[in-house]
Amino acid sequence: MTEVTGTEALARVKELVEDIDFTMLTTQDDDGQLVSRPMSTRQMDDSGDIWFFTAEDTKKVDEAEEHRNVGLAYLDAKGHRYVSVAGRAQIVHDEAKMRELYSPDLDIWFEDGLDTPGIVLLRVTPMQCEFWEPKHGRIVSAAAMLKALVTKDTPDDMTSHGKVSR
Amino acid sequence: MTEVTGTEALARVKELVEDIDFTMLTTQDDDGQLVSRPMSTRQMDDSGDIWFFTAEDTKKVDEAEEHRNVGLAYLDAKGHRYVSVAGRAQIVHDEAKMRELYSPDLDIWFEDGLDTPGIVLLRVTPMQCEFWEPKHGRIVSAAAMLKALVTKDTPDDMTSHGKVSR
């Protein structure tokens, strides 16, 4: 497995999370259970923070404020690309940032756009990121995995793996 | 949003998790951070338990034994299908069950198949399941969502949503 670390890994995480877009946000509920729901990624900014829109009056916001450690799971099974982000959540009221990140496709969830009552930003500050993806692109990887099946080679040399902690 | 509950919802969860297959398993590490990694779903059995293979000597197994509340996030962004499973994890040594669930495609991760040292089963017993999927299939849903964008209708009537708790 090729190991990628530091700024190279963080740059790749940014590309992956913005490209995969949809993620499952995991929070801890009052019973300590790890529950998740889909979210659309708006941006991973230059400091590494990942931004989402949400409605303030929701269970996930209550849970994220009670237990600020949250998880983001990105999964592109077809492309064999996976990203784990463990981070700290924060609700942010920032109109300029909201205008920067809003786009009309969000009107599906926020019917009055940025005027929708209770619309806020959710910022996740990553503490640990980890990712897995094929080293040689999708098709070559699929062929290589097939070969591994036949020859019983382990697929370790076909996967890029990166980890970033702070 | 169409609400589905009880056995109907559980049957649909089984179809979704076995079809989506790849999931991100979230555990809580020693710092309380919610970390995840990809896993391939073997089965959701008749009692609702979800089964995986893993190597016993891994961080995720240590974490799942320390904090038995884990999360499973299933995400099929293209099909707009999402499942959240909050459950309790248990390592299971059961040779008959392992023979039942093993298939040769797992040789990629377990090079000696069921003779690989340390191969064990990880069982997740769901405590809460929740899912989201388009009500009228992918294509109709995409069209309806486009209409929602134009007319500013909310998409509530286009999504099936189910929840199961115990």
Side-chain angles (χ1 to χ4, degrees):
Chain A
M1 200 142 53
T2 306
E3 290 291 334
V4 189
T5 52
T7 50
E8 189 191 348
L10 204 60
R12 189 59 194 144
V13 168
K14 176 179 163 68
E15 287 171 354
L16 286 168
V17 306
E18 291 187 349
D19 187 49
I20 298 176
D21 183 351
F22 276 87
T23 183
M24 293 291 273
L25 167 71
T26 302
T27 52
Q28 195 168 350
D29 75 7
D30 289 341
D31 299 323
Q33 290 181 353
L34 303 189
V35 292
S36 58
R37 75 288 292 161
M39 303 282 283
S40 169
T41 304
R42 289 293 98 191
Q43 182 191 58
M44 182 164 171
D45 69 21
D46 293 340
S47 66
D49 289 346
I50 302 176
W51 294 85
F52 303 90
F53 281 96
T54 183
E56 191 157 27
D57 179 25
T58 53
K59 208 162 154 264
K60 65 175 169 290
V61 168
D62 294 343
E63 289 168 1
E65 290 190 318
E66 181 74 22
H67 303 278
R68 288 187 54 214
N69 285 331
V70 300
L72 297 170
Y74 291 84
L75 192 155
D76 166 26
K78 211 167 177 184
H80 305 290
R81 303 183 303 172
Y82 310 93
V83 184
S84 159
V85 176
R88 305 273 291 164
Q90 179 77 49
I91 297 300
V92 176
H93 298 87
D94 180 335
E95 285 196 23
K97 189 72 183 172
M98 282 172 63
R99 277 195 299 274
E100 178 196 337
L101 297 182
Y102 199 84
S103 59
D105 55 304
L106 293 174
D107 288 0
I108 288 183
W109 294 282
F110 305 101
E111 55 176 337
D112 294 323
L114 290 175
D115 296 324
T116 306
I119 187 172
V120 287
L121 292 166
L122 174 73
R123 185 184 66 204
V124 175
T125 302
M127 305 302 287
Q128 282 182 56
C129 301
E130 198 164 0
F131 68 88
W132 300 260
E133 64 174 336
K135 201 169 151 188
H136 302 294
R138 192 177 307 182
I139 294 161
V140 176
S141 167
M145 286 176 88
L146 198 65
K147 182 172 170 289
L149 272 177
V150 175
T151 62
K152 302 258 185 187
D153 284 343
T154 53
D156 277 0
D157 56 342
M158 300 177 319
T159 308
S160 269
H161 175 253
K163 203 164 175 176
V164 188
S165 304
R166 43 173 118 190
Chain B
M1 199 139 57
T2 307
E3 290 292 334
V4 189
T5 53
T7 50
E8 189 191 348
L10 203 60
R12 189 58 193 145
V13 168
K14 176 180 164 68
E15 287 170 355
L16 286 168
V17 305
E18 290 187 349
D19 187 50
I20 298 176
D21 183 351
F22 275 86
T23 182
M24 294 290 274
L25 167 72
T26 302
T27 52
Q28 194 167 350
D29 75 7
D30 289 340
D31 299 323
Q33 290 181 353
L34 303 188
V35 291
S36 58
R37 75 288 291 160
M39 302 282 283
S40 169
T41 303
R42 290 293 99 191
Q43 183 191 57
M44 182 164 170
D45 69 21
D46 293 340
S47 66
D49 288 347
I50 302 175
W51 294 84
F52 304 90
F53 281 96
T54 183
E56 191 157 27
D57 179 23
T58 53
K59 210 164 153 262
K60 64 174 169 292
V61 168
D62 295 343
E63 289 167 0
E65 290 191 317
E66 182 75 21
H67 304 278
R68 288 188 52 215
N69 286 330
V70 300
L72 297 170
Y74 291 84
L75 190 155
D76 166 25
K78 211 168 177 184
H80 305 290
R81 304 185 302 172
Y82 310 93
V83 184
S84 159
V85 176
R88 304 274 290 165
Q90 178 77 50
I91 296 300
V92 176
H93 298 88
D94 180 335
E95 283 195 24
K97 189 73 183 169
M98 281 173 62
R99 276 195 299 274
E100 178 196 337
L101 297 182
Y102 199 84
S103 60
D105 56 305
L106 293 174
D107 288 359
I108 288 182
W109 293 282
F110 305 101
E111 56 177 337
D112 294 323
L114 290 174
D115 295 325
T116 306
I119 186 171
V120 287
L121 291 166
L122 173 73
R123 184 184 68 204
V124 176
T125 301
M127 304 302 287
Q128 280 183 57
C129 301
E130 198 164 359
F131 68 89
W132 300 259
E133 63 174 335
K135 200 171 151 187
H136 302 294
R138 192 177 307 183
I139 294 160
V140 176
S141 164
M145 285 176 86
L146 198 65
K147 183 172 170 288
L149 271 177
V150 175
T151 62
K152 301 260 184 186
D153 285 343
T154 54
D156 277 2
D157 56 342
M158 301 177 317
T159 307
S160 268
H161 175 253
K163 203 165 174 176
V164 189
S165 303
R166 44 171 117 191

